[in-house]
């Protein structure tokens, strides 16, 4: 019987015969194996799946009703060490990745069972410019200007550069170091840096304008 799960069970046999006193013997007790708790509804993740927000996993539904639950969080299928609460804050390195949670239900006398939620994709967050790009050089015709990428959070893994003169894109000019052309004299020069990183949306920032002389 299910109510015997996890308990010690013994059998007592009593023998009778007319004209004889009855006698009894009891077998050695044996602990009954507990049946596994059955998951009837999977855990569900709720909340806003974006960096900095909180998400929560429900316990799901089980039969019989458990006396305890344990939670494990996974990102792209890998266990996040030490994260065992049902409510967690989405970390920056989860951006653009799939998050799920496993809930293990337990009850005295029963075998624990585990169920996993559906995977939730964390919204890709934009890179944040911490220090804007900057130009170095005199800006004189014939001299060279160099753009520094600036700093980004989290750090970018690649950058692209576009150059603008009086607000107009200079077609085909994508290097970090350029020579100031005579046609630029007296005009405003700006370099626009676009930072990229897998799992994050690209972001751009421009230098302060420099007047060519």
């Amino acid at each position: 019987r299910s109510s015997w799960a996890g308990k010690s069970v013994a059998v007592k046999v009593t023998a009778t015969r007319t004209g004889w006193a009855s006698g009894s013997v009891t077998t050695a007790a044996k602990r009954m194996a507990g049946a596994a708790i059955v998951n009837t509804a999977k855990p569900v993740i709720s909340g806003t799946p974006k960096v900095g927000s909180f998400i929560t996993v429900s316990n799901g539904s089980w039969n019989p009703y458990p006396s305890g639950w344990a939670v494990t969080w996974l990102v792209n299928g890998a266990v996040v060490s030490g994260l065992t609460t049902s409510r967690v804050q989405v970390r920056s390195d989860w951006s653009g990745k799939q998050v799920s949670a496993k809930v293990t239900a337990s009850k005295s006398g029963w075998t624990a069972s585990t169920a996993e939620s559906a995977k939730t994709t964390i919204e890709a967050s934009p890179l944040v410019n911490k220090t804007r790009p900057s130009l170095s050089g005199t800006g004189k015709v014939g001299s060279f200007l160099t753009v520094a990428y600036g700093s980004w959070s989290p750090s970018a893994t690649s950058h692209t550069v576009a150059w603008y003169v009086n607000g107009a894109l200079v077609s085909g000019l994508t290097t970090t170091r350029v020579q100031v052309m005579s046609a630029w004299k007296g005009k405003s020069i700006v370099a626009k840096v676009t930072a990229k990183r897998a799992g994050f949306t690209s972001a751009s920032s421009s230098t302060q304008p420099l007047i060519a002389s």
Side-chain angles (χ1 to χ4, degrees), residues 36-43 59-64 103 105 113-116:
I37 300 176
V38 178
N39 177 248
T40 56
K42 286 188 175 183
N59 291 326
S61 296
W62 305 83
N63 185 29
V103 174
S113 294
T114 300
E116 185 174 358

Side-chain angles (χ1 to χ4, degrees), residues 23-201:
S24 299
V25 64
T26 302
T27 65
K30 185 174 183 179
R31 189 175 180 82
M32 298 292 100
I37 300 176
V38 178
N39 177 248
T40 56
K42 286 188 175 183
V44 176
I45 292 177
S46 60
T48 303
K50 64 186 299 184
V51 173
S53 296
F54 286 88
I55 53 177
T56 302
V57 64
S58 67
N59 291 326
S61 296
W62 305 83
N63 185 29
Y65 190 80
S67 56
W69 295 267
V71 178
T72 302
W73 290 89
L74 302 94
V75 176
N76 278 2
V79 172
V80 183
S81 178
L83 204 59
T84 59
T85 55
S86 59
R87 183 175 184 260
V88 298
Q89 188 171 27
V90 179
R91 302 177 181 180
S92 61
D93 59 349
W94 297 2
S95 178
K97 298 178 181 178
Q98 290 191 319
V99 172
S100 61
K102 287 184 178 180
V103 174
T104 299
S106 59
K107 183 179 179 70
S108 179
W110 293 76
T111 300
S113 294
T114 300
E116 185 174 358
S117 71
K119 293 177 174 61
T120 297
T121 300
I122 304 302
E123 295 178 20
S125 299
L127 292 173
V128 177
N129 180 242
K130 307 296 285 187
T131 304
R132 72 185 302 175
S134 59
L135 292 175
S136 59
T138 64
K140 291 184 178 181
V141 171
S143 67
F144 287 87
L145 289 176
T146 302
V147 60
Y149 294 137
S151 61
W152 304 81
S153 179
S155 58
T157 54
S158 64
H159 307 79
T160 58
V161 178
W163 291 87
Y164 293 81
V165 175
N166 272 7
L169 175 66
V170 182
S171 180
L173 204 58
T174 58
T175 56
T176 57
R177 185 172 183 262
V178 299
Q179 189 171 29
V180 179
M181 303 178 187
S182 59
W184 298 0
K185 187 173 183 178
K187 297 179 181 178
S188 172
I189 302 172
V190 169
K192 181 180 180 181
V193 174
T194 299
K196 300 178 181 180
R197 181 187 177 99
F200 290 78
T201 54

